[in-house]
Amino acid sequence: MEPGEIERLIKERKAKPDKSIYEHSLGAMNIARKLLKRIPHDAELDECLLRHVFLHDIGKLDDRFQERLKGNRKKAPPHAYLGLELASRLLDCPEPYRTLALASILTHHSDLHPTLYSEEINRGESLIINGIAVSNPAETAKHVRNRLATGRLAREHGFTGPEGKVRFRALYTLFNGLLRVSDWLESAGLGADFYHLNSGAVVRGAVLNYLSSKGFSPRDYQLAVTGKGGGYFRLPTGDGKTETSLLVTSDDASKVIYSLPTITTTEAMRKRFESIFGPDRVSFSHGMLFLSLYLSGKLDEKLIHRYAMKPIFVSTVDQVLLAFLGYPRFPVREFALRGAHWIIDEIHAYTPFTLSLILDGIEYALKYLGTKVTVMSATLPAPLAEELGRRGLKELLPDKGVASRYHSRRRVKIRIGNGNLFDAVDEIARQRGKVLVVANTVGRARRVYEEIKAKRDDVYLFHSRFINRDKREKMELVEKIKSGILVATQVVEVSLDIDYDVMYTEVAPVDALIQRFGRVNRRGKKRGIAYIFEPEGNKKHLPYDRDAFEETLNLLGELEGVENELELLRLNDRFYTAIWNKYERELKKGFLWKSRDGLGRITKWSRGEKLLSTRDTFMSLPAVPRPFLEKAIDYASRWEERSHEKRLDATVYVIEHTVNVPIWTLKENLHDNDDLREHFGVFGVELEYSRETGLTEEL
C-alpha cells in the first residue's frame, strides 16, 4: 500500500465509534508531545517517539476490527499485532530505536513475554482491508518480540552487562509508557495537563495556602529547603514533615509521588492531599483500592488511580516498587516516575529486603528516570542516612540544625515495668484518662484485653486479625476514643493519629518503641508515661528479629534514663549501628540490579506482588473465616450464572469478609475451595470469628 492510500484509509476508518483512526492517532501524538516537554529524556528521540505514537493503531484498519466496532462481530484479531508490519514500513528511525518503537506498538495492550501473539503468528494472521490481505505481520512480530525478549537487540547495540540491560529497559519503558499513557488519555478525552503538573511551583503554592488556612507560617527550615528538588532529612513528629517534603518540590517536577508504608496511612494522606490540592488533582493506590473506590462510588476511576494518572499520587510503597519488578503494565507505572518528585515517608518502617528494593529503586530513578527523590523520617537512623548519601541523595537539613528541635521535646517519661504485661493488668485497669496497651502478638493482645475487660467496660481491642469490614470500623472507633483503654498490637505504630496519656507496652526493637512512644502525649501539652515490659518464653522475640530484640534488651536501662527525643534519636542510631549488618547483607545482594527478575528484564513478571508480601515477613494469606464461608463459597460456585452487578456485589462481600491469616494457622485450619480461589483469590479458614475480638485462634 502507498502512503497516500494509507492516509486516506486512516481518515475514513474508525478507531472509536465517534472518531477516525487519524483523529485518535493525531490526538494521542499531540498529547505525547506535551508529555515529553515535562519529562527528562533525549530530545533526539522525539521524532521516533511521536511517530510511533501516531502509528500505534494502524492495525484498526482491518475489516474485522471495523465490523466489531459496528457491533456486527464479537471478536477481532488484536490490532496491535495486525498493524505491525505496516507500521514498520512507515517508521523511519535508526536502530535500536526503530525496533524498540515497533515493540512498543506490539505491546501497547499486552505486556511483552516470550510467547506473545504466538497463536496469531502460527496462524499467519494477516491485516485484511476490503477483503484483501494487504500485510502479513507474523514474521515482523516474531522478529521484534524475540529480539527483545531474548535480549539480542540490546546486546547487538552495546547494551551489555547488568547496567546495559538496565539502560535498555529504561529506553523501552520510555517508548511504551509514553504510548500507553498518551493513548489512554486521548481515549478518555483528557489532556496532558490532567496527567502532569504545569510546574512544581503549583505544589509549593498549594502547601503555603494550606498552612496559611490553618493559621501557620512556614518555618525557617521549611523555607531553607523550598524548591531544592530532593534529598533526605529527619524532623520530630509534629514538626510538619509532610509539608516540608512537599515544599522541596522543584519547578521542573512533572508529578508528586508520595509513598507510605500502610494502607491506613495512605488513605489518611490521600484525604489530606485532597484538602490541599483538590480531589481532581489527586490519585491514590494500595492493596484495597477496589474496595475503597467501591465504597466511594468511584469504581469507574480504577485505572486513573492505580496508574497515577493525576499530578499528585499517594500510595503504599509497594505500588511503586511493582514498576521495578516487571509487574503487569510496569512501563505505565514507571513512566509516572519520569521527572517526578518521589517522596518516601517513614523510611525506617521497612524490613531489610524491602528497604533494599527501595534503595535500588531510588538509585535507578535518579540515574535513568530523571526523578527527584526526598526521603524522610522522624527516626531516620544514621547508617541509613549514610546509605542514602551513597545512593545519590544529599542531606537537606543538617543534623545540627534540627537537633535543638529534638532536644526540646520531652513528651514521654519511660519506665521499665516489673514482670510481664499480664502482671500489670490490675494497675492498667485502675488508670484513668486514655490508656494505650501494646502487645507484640495478636494472641497476647486478646488475652490482655479479656482480662482487663473483666474489670471494666471501656476497653477496646484493635489488631490485624479482623476482617476488612470490621478493621475499617475499628480504626474509625479507635481514632474517636475520648477515654478508656485501647489494647492493640503494632498496628498503632504508623497507622493511626492517636494521642494517649499513658502506655503499657511489651519490649520491641528500639525504632518500634519510639514509634509507640509517639502515640503518647503526641501534642506535647503534658508529660506522658510509657511502661515497658519484657515478654516471657523461648520465643519472646517474635514477631521481631531475635538480634534486634536482644539488642533492645541491652539498651533498656538507657531507655529508662532518656530525658528528651534527641537522646532517643542517638540511642536509635546506636541500635541500628549494632544491627546494620543484617541490612547490609540484603543491600549487597542488589536484588533489583543483579536479579534476573529485577531491572534487567523487560518481560512481565506477575510474581512481583507475592515477592513483596512474603519476603522478610511472616507470610500471611487472605482467608474467609467460618461464619462467612458458606455464603462466600455459594457466590463463587454460582459465578457464571450471575450478572455483572451480582458479581460486583459478591466480590465486595468476599473482600469485606476476608482476613489475612498466618500461613501456619491457615495450614492447620484450611478449608480449600477451588471456586473460591479461582474467582476471588482467597482461601477458607475453619476458625470462628467475633466482631469484638477478631479471628478466634488458639492462644
Side-chain angles (χ1 to χ4, degrees), residues 239-262:
D239 268 19
K241 290 194 305 296
T242 299
E243 290 80 8
T244 304
S245 69
L246 291 168
L247 288 171
V248 172
T249 306
S250 58
D251 287 348
D252 60 352
S254 60
K255 278 182 181 286
V256 168
I257 294 179
Y258 198 103
S259 296
L260 290 148
T262 67

Side-chain angles (χ1 to χ4, degrees), residues 371-496:
T371 313
K372 305 289 197 309
V373 182
T374 296
V375 172
M376 60 178 176
S377 167
T379 55
L380 181 67
L384 177 52
E386 292 173 9
E387 185 63 34
L388 290 169
R390 284 191 285 272
R391 302 292 179 128
L393 296 185
K394 294 181 179 179
E395 188 176 47
L396 283 169
L397 293 173
D399 203 30
K400 291 180 181 179
V402 296
S404 61
R405 304 198 67 83
Y406 282 97
H407 189 271
S408 65
R409 301 299 179 94
R410 294 173 167 81
R411 289 184 280 200
V412 181
K413 184 177 291 186
I414 301 166
R415 295 286 181 262
I416 307 303
N418 295 318
N420 59 51
L421 198 56
F422 296 96
D423 296 324
V425 164
D426 289 338
E427 179 185 337
I428 294 169
R430 291 193 297 268
Q431 286 281 359
R432 290 294 172 257
K434 292 179 69 176
V435 183
L436 178 62
V437 181
V438 186
N440 292 343
T441 68
V442 172
R444 289 203 295 272
R446 200 166 81 238
R447 281 175 53 204
V448 170
Y449 166 79
E450 289 170 348
E451 290 192 23
I452 301 174
K453 186 72 174 175
K455 301 177 184 298
R456 55 188 285 185
D457 294 329
D458 56 343
V459 187
Y460 311 91
L461 177 65
F462 185 50
H463 53 66
S464 60
R465 225 74 91 224
F466 286 100
I467 60 173
N468 290 317
R469 179 199 64 192
D470 294 343
K471 191 182 298 181
R472 185 175 64 253
E473 293 174 0
K474 286 275 184 181
M475 283 189 282
E476 292 173 358
L477 171 66
V478 164
E479 290 175 336
K480 295 175 182 176
I481 293 174
K482 300 298 181 184
S483 66
I485 301 171
L486 172 64
V487 181
T489 57
Q490 54 268 43
V491 293
V492 298
E493 290 175 11
V494 294
S495 298
L496 300 170

Side-chain angles (χ1 to χ4, degrees), residues 299-368:
L299 262 183
D300 57 331
E301 296 182 9
K302 185 168 63 174
L303 290 179
I304 290 176
H305 291 287
R306 178 168 289 159
Y307 297 110
M309 289 291 180
K310 294 184 181 182
I312 311 293
F313 179 61
V314 57
S315 76
T316 46
V317 77
D318 62 293
Q319 298 298 304
V320 178
L321 295 180
L322 287 172
F324 307 136
L325 290 166
Y327 197 68
R329 292 192 178 96
F330 72 92
V332 182
R333 294 175 183 269
E334 191 165 300
F335 188 78
L337 283 163
R338 289 185 178 271
H341 182 200
W342 181 19
I343 301 170
I344 305 169
D345 198 0
E346 306 285 11
I347 188 70
H348 65 274
Y350 300 101
T351 61
F353 177 69
T354 302
L355 182 61
S356 75
L357 295 183
I358 293 171
L359 291 172
D360 285 352
I362 288 173
E363 191 174 352
Y364 172 68
L366 289 172
K367 286 182 178 179
Y368 298 107

Side-chain angles (χ1 to χ4, degrees), residues 72-228:
N72 299 330
R73 186 185 181 101
K74 286 187 176 181
K75 295 180 69 175
H79 66 270
Y81 161 82
L82 288 175
L84 196 68
E85 192 275 331
L86 194 57
S88 72
R89 302 184 209 171
L90 303 171
L91 196 60
D92 184 19
C93 306
E95 291 291 358
Y97 311 115
R98 179 177 178 275
T99 301
L100 270 172
L102 292 173
S104 178
I105 292 172
L106 188 67
T107 59
H108 77 275
H109 286 298
S110 302
D111 292 317
L112 180 67
H113 59 85
T115 60
L116 179 65
Y117 297 132
S118 286
E119 289 185 14
E120 290 78 12
I121 291 170
N122 292 336
R123 287 200 306 265
E125 198 76 70
S126 296
L127 176 67
I128 298 173
I129 300 176
N130 296 326
I132 300 171
V134 300
S135 167
N136 189 329
E139 285 305 312
T140 304
K142 185 177 179 181
H143 178 72
V144 168
R145 181 197 69 188
N146 291 351
R147 290 186 78 199
L148 260 76
T150 61
R152 194 160 68 244
L153 180 68
R155 291 192 299 272
E156 287 174 358
H157 292 273
F159 294 90
T160 56
E163 187 171 344
K165 289 181 179 179
V166 171
R167 286 193 294 117
F168 190 78
R169 168 212 173 87
L171 272 173
Y172 171 70
T173 61
L174 171 63
F175 275 84
N176 195 241
L178 177 71
L179 172 51
R180 290 195 190 201
V181 170
S182 303
D183 184 25
W184 188 89
L185 288 172
E186 206 288 327
S187 297
L190 302 168
D193 289 344
F194 181 87
Y195 186 80
H196 275 157
L197 294 164
N198 290 324
S199 168
V202 173
V203 174
R204 302 196 303 271
V207 172
L208 292 173
N209 289 337
Y210 175 76
L211 289 172
S212 178
S213 71
K214 299 292 183 181
F216 298 114
S217 298
R219 293 165 174 156
D220 290 345
Y221 56 83
Q222 292 176 323
L223 293 173
V225 301
T226 296
K228 293 289 186 181

